[in-house]
């Protein structure tokens, strides 16, 4: 085996430009593969961290008739809770409402949240500090779409517990910047005390967000979803994106492997005399098959080295400085930070190397098998077709 | 061990050609002893190379027995015939067949690497072989930088470095000018005397024939004449 590696190395280096072209293409596929997976992993990590910090907390109770994917359940999807029984839980009451910025009408989710909560990163403390009648905080996206700025007042219309319309001005006291569209787009956050007051739904909540120190207990009339349950959907979306991305780098890898396959086929055809000479000098046919297979698979080793030469600085730069995402990237509905920092784990790198080496070995072996059936006399004469 | 280093017993070799067959060797009987400097001569297509290929275990007879170093060529597995070639046989080809990406040293060293010899043993043996052929100063050159004569001398060093019992040379002078041809044959003749290696040539080159101790004439796959010759002291 050592001999095969020595000979393969000499043959590859001796082949000059042909070798380096194959190695270049393969190393590019290799770097792209690691980069893309690193990007998705970075996005995955960031999306999970942000979703926990801004939306999910450490678990959620949803009122049993409330379905977050069905807006028709909002009207009745709330229930009264006992304050002394919700230790470690922050209540959120969601109501439908309309705001009228610049005379336009915008449907919003009016969300009441405990101003003193610390579970979510929302800047709810500012709600307490304001003297406005209904202080509200909104996200950057919401502010942009409604053309609202800090300090602006805007008319809000809602229904109280009896279904009667009521309206008053709300004051935007803070605009937060977060990567989770679900807490930003079309959302207006007010103090839950104020929402109870203006709707008459005192002690009602649509959902209860668990803090880190919450100890789970079942509550009648409420459905609990753990953090893992909540993140599963996000993980599924990211896994789907990873799969679709793998088609792209799979194609790139296929092109590189096809180049190796072609090179091997051509090489075996052109080097018949050499093959015959190896056999005449005392190599078995399978040793020669091994030599050509190792030669092909060594493209992947060289590609690893070449890929490392420019990939490691590139990965380091990307992991340090991140990638700026397009402004409208979060229209996809899941959290995307303005800058994503790819994560290049050992598992990803070693896995990619193994995948490339095994693939290159297989595509090298396939044409090399032909050598085992070669007649050495014909090979020496270069007569094989 | 058999008295004869090579024993060919009623060997016939047929090749399929179109719908029929071509008989390259027809009931050939021959024996060679250790230390012979013999040639198989005859016109093109007479079966010289086929016979050499069978002796070299690169091919097998259709009928008959070819015994080389007490091994029946037809009964050897691929692995056994590879071992026979590696340990006991040296090949010299018409077009040298040097491995282009290796240096002269590495080309000669190759057979010893296959024998798992240590690096120091290999180096010593390779330099000695290169000295035999007068190329000790060209060890680092690539085959592409060598003249035809030099290339063939590297091929001789490669064949001789493992000190095989038998060297099979297929038209070794066909691509060489007269001066180089004589020098090459003289080198082999010297090695034959010095190391008592059996040399078996396939040739129709009269320059080679002048050095042979024995000439086996083949025509249409049959031995038509087998003559022992007085050694001539040919000087180019």
């Amino acid at each position: 085996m050592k001999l095969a590696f020595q000979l393969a190395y000499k043959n590859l280096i001796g082949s000059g430009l042909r070798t380096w072209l194959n190695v270049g293409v393969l190393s590019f596929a290799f770097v792209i593969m690691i980069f893309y997976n690193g990007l998705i992993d970075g996005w995955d990590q960031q999306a999970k961290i942000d979703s926990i910090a801004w939306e999910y907390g450490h678990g959620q109770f949803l009122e049993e008739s409330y379905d977050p994917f069905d807006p028709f359940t909002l009207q009745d999807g709330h229930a009264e809770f006992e304050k002394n029984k919700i230790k470690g839980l922050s209540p959120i009451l969601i109501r439908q409402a309309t705001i009228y910025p610049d005379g336009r009408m915008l449907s919003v989710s009016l969300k009441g949240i405990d101003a003193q909560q610390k579970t979510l990163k929302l800047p709810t403390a500012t709600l307490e500090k304001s003297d406005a009648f209904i202080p509200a905080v909104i996200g950057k996206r919401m502010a942009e779409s409604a053309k609202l700025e800090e300090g602006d007042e805007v008319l809000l219309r809602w229904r109280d517990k009896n279904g009667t319309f009521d309206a008053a001005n709300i004051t935007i006291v803070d605009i937060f910047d977060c990567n989770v569209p679900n807490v930003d787009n079309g959302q207006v956050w007010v103090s839950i005390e104020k929402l109870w007051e203006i709707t008459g739904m005192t002690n009602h909540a649509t959902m209860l967000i668990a803090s880190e120190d919450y100890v789970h207990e079942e509550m009648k009339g409420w459905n609990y979803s753990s953090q893992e349950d909540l993140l599963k959907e996000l993980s599924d979306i990211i896994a789907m994106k990873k799969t679709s991305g793998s088609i792209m780098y799979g194609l790139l890898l296929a092109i590189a492997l096809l180049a190796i396959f072609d090179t091997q086929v051509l090489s075996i055809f052109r080097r018949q005399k050499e093959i015959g000479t190896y056999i005449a000098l005392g190599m078995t046919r399978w040793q020669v098959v091994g030599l050509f297979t190792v030669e092909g698979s060594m493209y992947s080793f060289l590609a690893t080295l070449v890929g490392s030469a420019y990939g490691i600085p590139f990965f380091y730069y990307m992991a340090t400085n991140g990638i700026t995402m397009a402004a409208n990237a979060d229209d996809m509905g899941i959290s995307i930070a303005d800058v994503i920092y790819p994560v290049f784990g050992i598992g990803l790198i070693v896995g990619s190397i193994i995948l490339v080496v095994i693939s290159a070995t297989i595509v090298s072996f396939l044409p090399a098998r032909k050598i085992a059936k070669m007649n050495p006399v014909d090979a020496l004469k270069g007569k094989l077709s | 061990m058999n008295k004869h280093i090579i024993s060919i017993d009623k060997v016939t070799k047929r090749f399929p050609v179109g719908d029929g067959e071509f008989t390259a060797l027809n009931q050939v009987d021959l024996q060679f002893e250790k230390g012979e400097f013999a040639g198989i001569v005859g016109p093109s297509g007479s079966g010289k190379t086929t016979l050499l290929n069978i002796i070299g275990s690169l091919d097998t007879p259709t009928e008959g027995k070819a015994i080389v170093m007490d091994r029946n060529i037809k009964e050897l597995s691929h692995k056994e015939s590879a071992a026979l070639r590696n340990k006991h046989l040296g090949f010299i080809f018409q077009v040298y067949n040097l491995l282009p990406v290796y240096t002269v040293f590495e080309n000669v060293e190759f057979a010893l690497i296959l024998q798992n010899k240590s690096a120091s043993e290999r180096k010593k043996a390779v330099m000695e072989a290169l000295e035999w052929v007068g190329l000790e100063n060209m060890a680092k050159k690539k085959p592409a930088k060598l003249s035809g004569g030099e290339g063939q001398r590297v091929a001789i060093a490669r064949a001789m470095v493992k000190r095989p019992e038998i060297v099979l040379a297929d038209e070794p002078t066909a691509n060489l000018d007269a001066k180089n041809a004589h020098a090459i044959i003289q080198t082999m003749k010297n090695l034959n005397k010095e190391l008592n290696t059996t040399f078996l040539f396939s040739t129709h080159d009269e320059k080679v024939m002048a050095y042979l101790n024995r000439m086996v004439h083949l025509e249409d796959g049959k031995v038509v004449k087998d003559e022992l010759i007085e050694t001539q002291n040919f000087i180019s």
Side-chain angles (χ1 to χ4, degrees):
Chain A
M1 202 60 177
K2 188 182 162 196
L3 170 68
F5 273 98
Q6 282 175 347
L7 298 179
Y9 177 76
K10 280 181 194 290
N11 283 331
L12 284 187
I13 299 299
S15 298
L17 186 62
R18 187 158 43 100
T19 296
W20 296 114
L21 281 174
N22 282 336
V23 166
V25 175
L26 193 58
S27 75
F28 187 62
F30 178 63
V31 168
I32 291 290
M33 190 187 301
I34 291 176
F35 172 69
Y36 188 79
N37 277 297
L39 181 65
I40 296 285
D41 287 347
W43 179 15
D44 185 24
Q45 272 191 16
Q46 166 266 319
K48 282 178 178 169
I49 290 167
D50 285 350
S51 294
I52 290 166
W54 290 89
E55 188 182 8
Y56 296 150
H58 293 268
Q60 287 180 353
F61 279 101
L62 298 184
E63 199 279 331
E64 64 183 355
S65 59
Y66 172 61
D67 176 356
F69 299 106
D70 181 2
F72 287 92
T73 61
L74 260 179
Q75 184 61 29
D76 301 317
H78 56 88
E80 194 171 356
F81 62 90
E82 288 179 48
K83 273 188 173 175
N84 57 350
K85 284 192 178 175
I86 60 162
K87 194 177 173 220
L89 295 170
S90 295
I92 292 177
L93 176 63
I94 309 174
R95 307 305 298 154
Q96 286 172 302
T98 310
I99 59 170
Y100 297 88
D102 289 338
R104 293 177 300 134
M105 187 170 77
L106 280 180
S107 288
V108 296
S109 281
L110 182 60
K111 290 185 169 176
I113 186 167
D114 180 4
Q116 293 173 353
Q117 65 84 31
K118 299 265 190 298
T119 307
L120 300 182
K121 250 175 119 177
L122 291 161
T124 50
T126 52
L127 296 171
E128 275 196 321
K129 293 174 190 165
S130 172
D131 297 330
F133 174 58
I134 305 178
V137 293
I138 58 174
K140 193 175 70 179
R141 294 169 186 79
M142 176 66 187
E144 278 172 15
S145 64
K147 299 194 183 337
L148 290 171
E149 291 177 3
E150 206 174 308
D152 283 356
E153 287 196 350
V154 63
L155 183 64
L156 173 80
R157 192 178 70 145
W158 69 92
R159 283 174 189 265
D160 67 14
K161 67 177 180 182
N162 301 313
T164 307
F165 280 108
D166 202 351
N169 274 349
I170 59 170
T171 306
I172 307 301
V173 294
D174 200 355
I175 294 172
F176 59 85
D177 185 4
C178 93
N179 305 315
V180 185
N182 284 350
V183 299
D184 184 338
N185 287 334
Q187 317 283 309
V188 174
W189 296 85
V190 296
S191 158
I192 196 165
E193 301 275 347
K194 178 59 76 178
L195 191 56
W196 286 339
E197 181 192 322
I198 63 176
T199 57
M201 299 166 76
T202 307
N203 288 343
H204 276 244
T206 307
M207 58 169 63
L208 305 166
I209 310 289
S211 64
E212 199 172 357
D213 52 2
Y214 169 70
V215 181
H216 177 59
E217 273 180 63
E218 287 300 326
M219 288 203 300
K220 199 178 170 195
W222 297 84
N223 295 329
Y224 181 72
S225 298
S226 68
Q227 196 182 67
E228 290 73 34
D229 297 335
L230 294 165
L231 289 173
K232 189 178 176 301
E233 188 196 343
L234 189 63
S235 300
D236 289 346
I237 292 170
I238 287 169
M240 193 181 73
K241 289 193 179 299
K242 209 168 188 172
T243 306
S244 59
S246 67
I247 294 170
M248 187 264 290
Y249 67 70
L251 279 172
L252 198 58
L253 182 63
I255 291 168
L257 294 176
L258 191 64
I260 293 176
F261 184 85
D262 275 355
T263 305
Q264 286 290 89
V265 170
L266 187 65
S267 178
I268 289 163
F269 182 75
R270 284 175 53 186
R271 292 163 62 190
Q272 288 176 44
K273 282 190 179 179
E274 188 180 327
I275 291 166
T277 306
Y278 286 133
I279 294 170
L281 290 174
M283 285 181 95
T284 63
R285 293 173 202 201
W286 280 105
Q287 274 181 309
V288 184
V289 172
L291 170 64
F292 275 75
T293 305
V294 169
E295 206 171 299
S297 66
M298 274 190 76
Y299 283 115
S300 58
F301 290 108
L302 290 177
T304 306
L305 292 177
V306 171
S308 302
Y310 66 88
I312 288 173
F314 173 66
F315 294 153
Y316 178 77
Y317 178 82
M318 283 298 167
T320 310
N321 296 289
I323 300 161
T324 306
M325 300 305 288
N328 58 351
D330 55 6
D331 288 351
M332 286 186 278
I334 57 172
S335 63
I336 301 179
D338 295 337
V339 177
I340 288 183
Y341 296 90
V343 176
F344 304 109
I346 291 292
L348 167 65
I349 292 170
V350 172
S352 303
I353 290 173
I354 290 172
L355 175 68
V356 171
V357 169
I358 290 176
S359 313
T361 305
I362 291 170
V363 297
S364 305
F365 174 69
L366 292 176
R369 280 179 314 168
K370 194 179 172 188
I371 295 168
K373 294 175 188 165
M374 273 187 184
N375 179 337
V377 174
D378 289 340
L380 278 166
K381 289 176 185 167
K383 275 189 173 175
L384 295 165
S385 56
Chain B
M1 193 176 183
N2 194 315
K3 183 189 167 194
H4 304 294
I5 197 166
I6 300 165
S7 178
I8 306 295
D9 183 13
K10 292 188 172 43
V11 163
T12 296
K13 179 69 184 180
R14 285 188 283 269
F15 295 105
V17 179
D19 294 335
E21 279 185 328
F22 168 72
T23 304
L25 293 173
N26 193 354
Q27 296 283 310
V28 173
D29 280 310
L30 281 171
Q31 283 80 39
F32 296 94
E33 288 170 25
K34 184 155 179 61
E36 280 200 62
F37 200 75
I40 301 161
V41 301
S44 293
S46 58
K48 306 184 296 289
T49 301
T50 304
L51 182 57
L52 232 55
N53 287 336
I54 289 172
I55 294 169
S57 76
L58 292 170
D59 209 345
T60 52
T62 313
E63 290 166 16
K65 271 202 289 192
I67 310 287
V68 178
M69 303 291 301
D70 284 337
R71 290 166 183 82
N72 187 341
I73 296 297
K74 205 170 180 178
E75 290 172 359
L76 296 179
S77 65
H78 285 314
K79 205 172 173 181
E80 287 166 337
S81 60
L84 174 69
R85 288 191 295 270
N86 183 225
K87 288 178 186 152
H88 304 290
L89 304 178
F91 289 87
I92 299 169
F93 303 100
Q94 183 178 336
V95 286
Y96 330 134
N97 285 27
L98 298 178
L99 303 169
V101 296
Y102 303 150
T103 62
V104 165
F105 184 94
E106 288 163 344
N107 263 282
V108 178
E109 186 190 27
F110 190 87
L112 301 177
I113 294 176
L114 292 179
Q115 290 181 355
N116 292 322
K117 292 263 169 73
S118 70
S120 59
E121 278 180 296
R122 295 201 304 263
K123 190 175 179 186
K124 192 180 164 204
V126 171
M127 291 316 293
E128 188 180 22
L130 289 176
E131 269 177 46
W132 291 335
V133 296
L135 290 179
E136 61 271 33
N137 297 326
M138 295 200 173
K140 289 181 182 169
K141 283 199 172 178
K142 288 276 177 77
K145 302 279 179 192
L146 303 176
S147 68
E150 287 166 344
Q152 195 58 298
R153 280 195 276 161
V154 175
I156 294 170
R158 182 176 65 183
M160 292 303 300
V161 70
K162 55 191 178 185
R163 295 179 180 249
E165 280 83 356
I166 304 164
V167 170
L168 304 170
D170 187 9
E171 306 276 10
T173 55
N175 286 355
L176 300 177
D177 57 37
K179 189 182 170 189
N180 269 313
H182 283 299
I184 291 295
I185 297 298
Q186 189 63 58
T187 303
M188 289 194 266
K189 185 82 182 173
N190 293 342
L191 289 167
N192 165 249
K193 280 182 184 166
E194 196 178 325
L195 304 171
N196 199 30
T197 306
T198 307
F199 276 80
L200 196 51
F201 295 87
S202 130
T203 186
H204 48 40
D205 184 347
E206 289 183 0
K207 294 187 287 297
V208 177
M209 292 179 200
Y211 287 85
L212 298 175
N213 299 121
R214 179 183 171 190
M215 265 199 284
V216 177
H217 295 262
L218 277 185
E219 264 184 43
D220 297 330
K222 288 183 178 170
V223 178
V224 293
K225 196 174 169 189
D226 188 352
E227 55 178 338
L228 292 173
I229 305 159
E230 282 287 316
T231 309
Q232 298 173 36
N233 291 317
F234 200 107
I235 297 165
S236 60

